[in-house]
Amino acid sequence: MTTARIDARFAALKAEGRAGFVAYVMAGDPSRDEALEILRGLPAAGADLIELGFPFSDPMAEGPPIQRAALRGLKARMTLKGTLELAADFRAGDADTPLILMGYLNPVESYGHDAFARDAAAAGVDGVIVVDCPPEEAGPLTDALDAARLSLIRLATPTSDDARLRIIAERTSGFVYYVSVAGVTGVKEAQAAAVAPAVARVRRASGLPVAVGFGVRTPERAAEIARVADAVVAGSVLVDEVAAALEANDSPVGRVLARVGALAGAVRGARTPETV
């Protein structure tokens, strides 16, 4: 079950003949107010969808950049409840941009499946990615999200064979997030030649759009992936801009949004006649 915003956005992207750009940022990084300013600026900078991470102390799939972002968010006293409040503040000024929460199961379990789904829907969230919740253990969470009309968006990886993809596709909605490299975020680069056949397999198994992340750091790489995927996700490179701004005693907002603009521009232009 999926909300209308995700479906509408991917339908619009298909009609435009281009891939979407998905920007990942961490709630509370480096402060609540700055995180909200970044969130509010993402659509105008070129983000077609937004993934909003909720901080967790043991983000097992993340490389150092997002680990550090999570720690900054926790230091700023950001919680899952606070993340939902941040989402609601964003949604109050933007009725159209799909907003996906991304994080780990422990905070959701502590919050309670039904309460989390209810409050996320009330905040204007469209979908949820829970990185460490395998399909075999996702029944109660999926039931709660379905009842609230929220998408559960699952991950597929280079090691997901056809049998596993069929399991991943069950009760997944909105899109499938394809992890383009083995390992953690922000370490290896995605390679379009390897991604293309995998994206085709995931599309066949799920019937859903496929967003590719884990390994997109440059406009050139983003453009390559945009030619074979339905959307391109960037995260580590964006939270790195926050870290660089703090080190330079600079405001992170402009730096993050400028990086989003460069990556989103590359994605938008990737399928023009001159580049195909």
Side-chain angles (χ1 to χ4, degrees), residues 26 56 59-72 184-185:
M26 180 68 71
F56 179 55
M60 64 182 70
E62 317 299 350
I66 292 180
Q67 288 181 22
R68 289 189 288 262
L71 292 176
R72 291 192 298 267
V184 297
T185 56

Side-chain angles (χ1 to χ4, degrees), residues 1-72:
M1 188 175 296
T2 183
T3 60
R5 266 187 293 258
I6 298 174
D7 287 345
R9 183 52 50 96
F10 276 106
L13 291 167
K14 186 175 181 179
E16 293 177 35
R18 69 175 182 89
F21 178 70
V22 186
Y24 171 98
V25 294
M26 180 68 71
D29 182 23
S31 69
R32 186 193 192 281
D33 288 348
E34 288 165 306
L36 179 57
E37 192 174 352
I38 290 169
L39 266 180
R40 286 174 168 165
L42 288 174
D48 298 295
L49 298 91
I50 297 171
E51 288 178 3
L52 178 61
F54 48 93
F56 179 55
S57 58
D58 187 23
M60 64 182 70
E62 317 299 350
I66 292 180
Q67 288 181 22
R68 289 189 288 262
L71 292 176
R72 291 192 298 267

Side-chain angles (χ1 to χ4, degrees), residues 155-165 168 176-184 188-191 193-199 201-202 210-215:
L155 305 176
T157 73
T159 60
S160 301
D161 61 18
D162 289 343
R164 187 62 182 170
L165 285 177
I168 290 168
V176 177
Y177 188 128
Y178 180 69
V179 176
S180 63
V181 296
V184 297
K188 302 176 184 177
E189 278 200 309
Q191 302 293 329
V195 165
V199 166
R201 284 200 310 119
V202 175
V210 180
V212 173
F214 281 53

